[in-house]
Amino acid sequence: MPTGVPSDPPAVDNTGFVGCHGKLSLGGPGGLQLVDENGEAVRLMGMSSHGLQWFPNCYSKESIQYLVEHWGITLFRAATYVGMGSKAKDIVQWCKELGIYVIIDYHVLNPGNPNDRAYSGAESFWRDMATQFKGEKHVLYEIANEPNGVTWPTIKAYHNRIIAAIRAIDTETIIICGTPTWSQEVDKPAADPVAQPHNVMYTFHFYAGSHVALIPNLVKYSSQIPIFVTEWGTSYATGDGGPFLPASKEFLDTLARAGSLGVSLSFAQWSFADKSEVSAALASGSCSSKQWDDTTCSGTYLKNYIKANVATCGNKPPTTSAPAAPTTAPATAAPVVTGTPVRTNAPLPTNAPVPPSTPVPTNAP
């Protein structure tokens, strides 16, 4: 384990965390901080599913309950590809019963244009979700996972359309908007935000083997727009290689107190799955055998970091381990990708068209 992350911290039970904090909104310095019903800063820590359709044995109330009661997660993200809304609703209910927050992630990836006809049902999907969950305190909406191959004005047009559809039904729930180049270019919405910014946040995604050079951008723009790290991994952006734990630690410490305003940023890690790749938290075969603590190197690191740093009811997370915001990559960090970052760690649906510039991943289950 990197310095500052204990090798075997005690279990943490965060059952009922939502009951201590209630409905989340934006507040704090510059209106950039996720806050609870009392206006207190909240930093959520948790896991993202992989595609719900590819690893169905991994996603049950039992598995999420184990994460809540032993790892201490306060957030679970349901990566919802087209057609998987019913499974996402099950996860929303389980998270309600366990008392943790949940992100419904509309998993735009391939095609990368959220306006593509493959996502023609997006407005209907979000009207349905907003109608069913507008009264729930534990739900957050992520309306486009990783737009890519298109410009911010094109992405923004989609966001404005979907936000308007949601706000006609649900005026308050946090909405998280994907950003260009696989949700890495947070500078674009900082310069040109969406039309209805109330309780709207923007996505930043990070893979420790590929994106260390992006940390200064994250620091800079976290003092300008509300940011939520809805996906990050310890590997290369392909999902394999590494794990790059020192770079991961640098990134997580940056999230604890980011930018000149000291905003704390929430995260979900990719992925809680037993896929045979470095970024997966569970060893191959763990889900079928229901061994929820049979973790890979990446998964062991994540559960130990969360247990050592997550907030619990009545207790704020420790802040002494967070260093000053870095401006350059450390000498021990993973090699930095200096060209256009590529996000390929999620498998492609076999019928999805692929933008010419995007390599087709070979690691689909």
Side-chain angles (χ1 to χ4, degrees), residues 299-310:
T300 299
Y301 172 76
L302 255 294
K303 71 179 176 183
N304 290 348
Y305 184 93
I306 291 172
K307 286 192 286 185
N309 290 276
V310 72

Side-chain angles (χ1 to χ4, degrees), residues 16 18 23 34-35 56 70 74 78 86 89 96 115 144 152 205 227 255 263 275 312 321 323 329 340 346 358:
V18 172
K23 188 82 168 177
L34 197 63
V35 299
H70 296 269
T74 53
S86 177
K89 289 180 179 180
K96 179 179 181 178
N115 299 292
W152 173 243
H205 287 181
I227 293 175
L255 299 187
V263 175
K275 185 177 181 181
T312 59
S321 64
T340 302
T358 306

